[in-house]
Amino acid sequence: MSDAQKAKDQEPTTTDSAESVTTTKQTKRSLPEKDSSNNGNDNEQVVESKRPKSVSPFDDLKISDDSILDTVQGRTNCSQCNKSVKYFCYRCFNVVGMDRSEIPSLKLPVPLNVIKHELELDGKSTAIHAGVIAKNDVNIYNWQNIPEFQQPERSLLLFPGPDAKRLDEIPRDSFDRITVIDGTWKQASKIARETPQLQRMQKVTIAPRKTHFWRYQQKSDDHLATIEAIYYLYREFAEAFEGSYEDGRYDNLLFYYRFFYDMIQDKYRCQQGSKKFTQRHRSDYIQYDGKS
């Protein structure tokens, strides 16, 4: 299961994360994986002769090289559930189409629970990225099937509001788990409001940041995608409790997120601005001229 809002904003700030890959090369990329309910149609593929070198909002992060993902040409059956997927299985969190050793892994300092609304399609959930990259430390539950958590008061719930605190205001020994809600803004508000266990958790918030999410939303651009919110929360955890964040230790939470962001930028940039990303999205979302 991003994320930061002003105290008066009662809506959640999550929806539903090495070198930046900006070198010129032959590449073949496809749009991000969609849910299998798409009548079996494969994702549209975009073939580029060269990928232009451009400024990326992820350039300063230490995210592992993702060029292995460019070699994936189609779907592969998950070895566990046999579902046909691309890049990873969003039910089992298994890497597919390549060896697991070719994808970065992370150990999170605090385990993560993601509470996912049933109407949030698996193939559109960015929280799944955390489940793949930090598989041993992430549990994702459908809202209607969440377990009875032991000592929910010892979990932090990433959710804005007047009673939400920043991590540096919360004693480290007061929590041993983090919980994030994954869904649309409306869905997440309902989950937080109608789940007694979540109401017993300590609310935490993060500093406002600009989203790079590619899906249109009728919210300001400081409403983050779920994986963005997860990433920034663990980054602030490092700053509050681990001394500093100079080594970028949790940057790979954005490994798949950056890949899909770059994929979409490449798709529209190669058309020289002749095709608009969407009339509803902010006008400068696609960096046609390579500017940040």
Side-chain angles (χ1 to χ4, degrees):
M1 292 299 129
S2 41
D3 266 27
Q5 301 299 309
K6 295 180 180 179
K8 65 179 181 181
D9 186 355
Q10 297 299 307
E11 293 184 337
T13 55
T14 61
T15 56
D16 19 58
S17 214
E19 293 180 282
S20 178
V21 182
T22 55
T23 56
T24 301
K25 64 179 181 178
Q26 289 286 116
T27 180
K28 185 174 184 179
R29 285 194 162 184
S30 62
L31 291 177
E33 186 73 18
K34 294 184 180 179
D35 187 74
S36 58
S37 61
N38 189 26
N39 299 320
N41 294 330
D42 285 337
N43 295 322
E44 176 189 358
Q45 290 193 328
V46 179
V47 180
E48 298 176 307
S49 59
K50 290 184 178 181
R51 188 184 331 161
K53 186 175 182 179
S54 58
V55 175
S56 165
F58 306 102
D59 281 349
D60 293 334
L61 302 184
K62 295 180 175 63
I63 301 176
S64 297
D65 177 32
D66 63 10
S67 58
I68 184 64
L69 300 177
D70 285 318
T71 69
V72 179
Q73 298 299 311
R75 295 170 180 260
T76 302
N77 290 344
C78 172
S79 60
Q80 185 170 340
C81 69
N82 206 40
K83 182 176 178 60
S84 178
V85 291
K86 194 171 185 181
Y87 306 120
F88 54 82
C89 179
Y90 40 77
R91 295 180 179 177
C92 306
F93 312 145
N94 293 325
V95 172
V96 300
M98 66 203 73
D99 191 83
R100 181 62 184 85
S101 64
E102 297 176 291
I103 301 300
S105 297
L106 278 180
K107 172 67 179 174
L108 298 179
V110 183
L112 174 68
N113 284 334
V114 177
I115 310 301
K116 179 177 168 294
H117 196 281
E118 282 78 0
L119 295 181
E120 178 72 0
L121 297 178
D122 290 338
K124 291 185 176 182
S125 171
T126 62
I128 303 297
H129 303 176
V132 178
I133 298 297
K135 186 174 182 178
N136 293 333
D137 297 315
V138 178
N139 290 304
I140 300 181
Y141 304 100
N142 283 335
W143 179 33
Q144 299 300 332
N145 296 316
I146 62 173
E148 188 68 30
F149 296 122
Q150 297 296 318
Q151 296 183 299
E153 65 277 1
R154 290 193 57 80
S155 179
L156 301 183
L157 175 63
L158 183 59
F159 198 88
D163 54 345
K165 299 178 180 179
R166 293 284 299 275
L167 275 169
D168 57 9
E169 301 174 310
I170 300 174
R172 175 62 187 92
D173 60 2
S174 71
F175 65 92
D176 47 34
R177 187 165 293 273
I178 292 173
T179 300
V180 173
I181 300 174
D182 187 34
T184 65
W185 311 120
K186 184 176 181 180
Q187 290 166 351
S189 294
K190 182 176 182 180
I191 290 174
R193 184 175 63 250
E194 298 182 6
T195 310
Q197 289 192 81
L198 300 188
Q199 294 173 5
R200 293 171 58 190
M201 295 180 180
Q202 304 177 65
K203 286 185 181 179
V204 64
T205 188
I206 58 177
R209 293 177 174 89
K210 180 179 178 180
T211 185
H212 298 294
F213 200 32
W214 47 86
R215 293 194 177 93
Y216 173 77
Q217 58 186 5
Q218 292 179 323
K219 297 291 181 180
S220 62
D221 62 7
D222 61 352
H223 285 67
L224 304 179
T226 307
I227 191 60
E228 291 177 303
I230 292 170
Y231 163 69
Y232 284 120
L233 183 61
Y234 279 98
R235 178 168 179 157
E236 292 188 11
F237 177 93
E239 294 167 346
F241 302 115
E242 296 177 342
S244 68
Y245 194 71
E246 295 180 358
D247 60 357
R249 68 196 70 173
Y250 305 124
D251 287 0
N252 273 326
L253 283 168
L254 297 176
F255 177 77
Y256 287 109
Y257 189 78
R258 181 192 63 178
F259 173 74
F260 291 138
Y261 173 90
D262 287 346
M263 177 194 303
I264 291 171
Q265 293 286 327
D266 294 345
K267 170 181 168 62
Y268 287 88
R269 189 184 298 118
C270 73
Q271 300 179 47
Q272 303 299 319
S274 61
K275 182 176 180 181
K276 195 170 184 179
F277 178 60
T278 170
Q279 293 181 348
R280 298 184 302 168
H281 214 290
R282 63 183 185 270
S283 60
D284 61 346
Y285 182 77
I286 303 297
Q287 299 300 312
Y288 293 113
D289 59 2
K291 296 179 181 179
S292 59

